[in-house]
Amino acid sequence: MVFVNSRAVADRVPANLSADLDAERDVELVLAFLNTCDVEADTDALESADRWREWSAARGLGEAGDQGRARRVRRAMRDAVSCASAAEPEQISLPVPVVLREGVPVLGGHDALSRVLAASVHLVHTGHWDRIKICPAEDCLWAFYDRSRNKSRTWCSMRVCGNREKARSWRERHTAAG
């Protein structure tokens, strides 16, 4: 027979709600990391060690760590979620510690990159990773989270990138036909 302290159970956030809240935070962090390069603004938060440290500090992620490694990880992750994948994906091994938080094992992190990777692993294991996509518009390439029911969203914004691409395609079809 198992005895459960009902008050202790009632005070806890339900596991699925807790996982969903964590997933939202993880989505925000992973998208912010993937979007450290902005094609439209022609900026890259990983272009220098100083900018990488600033980005990490602004998010309270602790020590930034190796900026070159962060660039390689970002490239590999963007390739994994984009339509255009690299011919041979790069294998990158990095330590991400497992810590006990109130007796529950969770992925931890000792620097900014390991925290981003821990968030990414959590998204994979909770089924959220496959909703992270890269906008296919070559003048955008923004990472976004697909919240559509059937995971069919293509553009980061239908009003901007989708509309531009549809107008471009329409012009090309009508120019070729005329």
Side-chain angles (χ1 to χ4, degrees), residues 26-133:
D26 292 341
V27 164
E28 288 178 30
L29 176 58
V30 171
L31 288 178
F33 178 70
L34 293 175
N35 288 324
T36 52
C37 58
D38 186 338
V39 173
E40 286 183 305
D42 194 28
T43 59
D44 186 349
L46 301 180
E47 72 183 354
S48 71
D50 288 339
R51 298 233 15 233
W52 171 229
R53 277 193 295 276
E54 289 170 14
W55 186 90
S56 300
R59 283 155 187 79
L61 298 175
E63 184 181 326
D66 183 348
Q67 166 249 351
R69 181 177 283 171
R71 287 179 69 99
R72 286 183 29 235
V73 168
R74 180 187 65 193
R75 184 178 341 108
M77 288 173 63
R78 285 182 65 89
D79 285 349
V81 298
S82 72
C83 298
S85 60
E88 185 64 37
E90 182 178 6
Q91 287 292 102
I92 302 172
S93 295
L94 299 169
V96 178
V98 175
V99 296
L100 289 177
R101 188 175 300 148
E102 296 177 15
V104 178
V106 294
L107 291 174
H110 57 278
D111 64 9
L113 187 55
S114 64
R115 286 185 174 94
V116 168
L117 289 172
S120 301
V121 169
H122 182 245
L123 294 178
V124 169
H125 288 285
T126 56
H128 295 276
W129 176 260
D130 59 345
R131 289 184 174 271
I132 294 179
K133 299 179 179 180

Side-chain angles (χ1 to χ4, degrees), residues 109-169:
H110 57 278
D111 64 9
L113 187 55
S114 64
R115 286 185 174 94
V116 168
L117 289 172
S120 301
V121 169
H122 182 245
L123 294 178
V124 169
H125 288 285
T126 56
H128 295 276
W129 176 260
D130 59 345
R131 289 184 174 271
I132 294 179
K133 299 179 179 180
I134 303 291
C135 181
E138 290 187 22
D139 53 347
C140 179
L141 302 175
W142 197 250
F144 66 94
Y145 187 76
D146 180 355
R147 295 185 187 282
S148 67
R149 282 188 190 185
N150 61 356
K151 304 176 190 176
S152 63
R153 189 169 150 197
T154 302
W155 310 100
C156 66
S157 165
M158 193 58 211
R159 278 182 262 143
V160 179
C161 291
N163 191 36
R164 252 190 319 218
E165 187 58 33
K166 286 183 175 198
R168 185 179 303 130
S169 176

